[in-house]
Amino acid sequence: MLVGIKDDAQKEAAEDLYRALQTAGVDVLLDDRDERPGVKFKDADLLGIPVKVVVGKSLAEGTVEVSLRRDAANKSAVPIASASAHVAGLVESLKAEATA
């Protein structure tokens, strides 16, 4: 989820992460709508998005926020450089749990 759609650095980072996850074979939805973050979070919950990645203010520190829908209170600051691998790993873990 892209928080600051008018922030070029956030927009570029979100689009790069989107492409990297697609390349890794992960189904991705990039919410780059001009909406308030709360609206985007609610919509992600309604759609049942299992892994949320928030590209926002923490990008200035080189991180994105990653959380699982089932444990939204547990958020991790993940370096942008390793975010695609981290998220792909989470998705694979969720798939493995679902088939176990």
Side-chain angles (χ1 to χ4, degrees):
M1 174 182 316
L2 174 57
V3 175
I5 65 163
K6 294 180 174 127
D7 183 312
D8 290 336
Q10 287 183 26
K11 187 173 183 180
E12 183 178 340
E15 290 171 351
D16 289 346
L17 183 55
Y18 174 80
R19 284 188 294 273
L21 287 167
Q22 282 187 315
T23 300
V26 176
D27 290 332
V28 185
L29 175 66
L30 173 59
D31 193 344
D32 58 355
R33 296 176 295 159
D34 189 10
E35 290 285 350
R36 292 174 292 120
V39 171
K40 293 180 182 186
F41 287 123
K42 282 185 180 183
D43 288 349
D45 285 339
L46 287 171
L47 291 171
I49 305 295
V51 180
K52 289 185 204 171
V53 180
V54 179
V55 180
K57 292 179 183 178
S58 68
L59 184 64
E61 294 142 19
T63 64
V64 294
E65 182 182 287
V66 178
S67 63
L68 295 176
R69 180 174 179 254
R70 68 179 179 201
D71 189 15
N74 188 12
K75 299 172 184 166
S76 301
V78 177
I80 188 70
S82 60
S84 64
H86 181 79
V87 172
L90 285 174
V91 170
E92 286 305 314
S93 295
L94 291 172
K95 284 181 182 179
E97 285 178 21
T99 59

